[in-house]
């Protein structure tokens, strides 16, 4: 597979993770009553939506086809979040934090799989933004009880 194809494959993997995050946040939002928690989750959702669009744009620039769905991670995330929703807001937020942990690890472990400007894009744009989203959610989890 040519390098551009490998880069598209890696970016699509990131994209599926971001789509999964968007789907999971949207699902969780229906179960969160607390105003501060809801606002923070809305911010995190917007962060993930922005990364979805940025990844789609980069994939198209490489003449690739952006992934449409979240794939296996989306199914797993829905199962985890669905169980957490039944157990209340704290569990839902804990499940979201697990997803943020996974997203952070994914970017950190796979940033080196893309090349040139794409590597800078992942390391200098996507990864810092993922860290910021993770920090917001972690802060929320540890301050509101």
């Amino acid at each position: 597979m040519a390098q551009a194809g490998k880069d598209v494959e890696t970016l699509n993997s990131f994209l599926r993770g971001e789509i999964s995050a968007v789907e999971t946040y949207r699902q969780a939002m229906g179960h969160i009553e607390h105003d501060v928690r809801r606002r923070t989750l809305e911010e995190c959702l917007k962060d993930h939506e922005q990364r979805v669009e940025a990844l789609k744009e980069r994939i198209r620039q490489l003449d690739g086809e952006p992934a449409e769905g979240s794939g296996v991670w989306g199914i797993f995330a829905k199962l985890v979040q669905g169980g957490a929703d039944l157990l209340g807001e704290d569990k839902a937020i804990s499940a979201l934090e697990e997803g943020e942990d996974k997203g952070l690890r994914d970017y950190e472990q796979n940033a080196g799989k893309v090349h040139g400007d794409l590597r800078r894009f992942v390391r200098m744009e996507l990864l810092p933004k993922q860290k910021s989203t993770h920090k917001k959610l972690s802060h929320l989890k540890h301050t509101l009880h």
Side-chain angles (χ1 to χ4, degrees):
M1 182 184 294
Q3 190 55 57
K6 289 179 185 175
D7 288 344
V8 166
E9 190 176 293
T10 300
L11 293 178
N12 264 323
S13 175
F14 293 145
L15 177 58
R16 283 188 292 277
E18 292 293 348
I19 291 170
S20 173
V22 167
E23 291 171 352
T24 306
Y25 272 92
R26 286 181 179 156
Q27 182 179 352
M29 299 279 288
H31 303 282
I32 303 295
E33 302 292 327
H34 192 280
D35 285 346
V36 173
R37 286 180 172 185
R38 193 165 180 78
R39 276 195 301 275
T40 301
L41 296 187
E42 286 170 355
E43 286 177 28
C44 292
L45 172 60
K46 285 179 187 161
D47 292 345
H48 286 291
E49 288 172 338
Q50 289 169 352
R51 287 195 289 279
V52 164
E53 292 310 312
L55 281 159
K56 284 181 177 181
E57 182 179 321
R58 289 294 176 126
I59 291 166
R60 286 187 193 108
Q61 287 172 359
L62 294 168
D63 293 325
E65 188 66 36
E68 293 291 323
S70 55
V72 174
W73 277 111
I75 295 166
F76 173 75
K78 285 177 188 163
L79 288 172
V80 170
Q81 187 60 50
D85 289 343
L86 295 173
L87 300 172
E89 287 190 13
D90 288 344
K91 293 293 183 191
I93 288 171
S94 291
L96 289 170
E97 187 185 34
E98 285 179 37
E100 294 297 345
D101 290 341
K102 190 251 178 251
L104 191 56
R105 278 192 310 274
D106 192 28
Y107 283 125
E108 288 173 341
Q109 292 171 358
N110 296 307
K113 290 185 178 179
V114 292
H115 299 83
D117 287 343
L118 293 175
R119 188 172 293 177
R120 278 188 291 284
F121 167 65
V122 173
R123 289 196 171 141
M124 304 306 287
E125 290 185 46
L126 298 178
L127 183 56
K129 289 177 181 176
Q130 175 61 30
K131 285 180 180 178
S132 174
T133 306
H134 183 275
K135 186 176 179 181
K136 285 178 200 173
L137 194 67
S138 185
H139 178 75
L140 176 68
K141 179 184 172 192
H142 297 291
T143 57
L144 290 175
H145 283 288

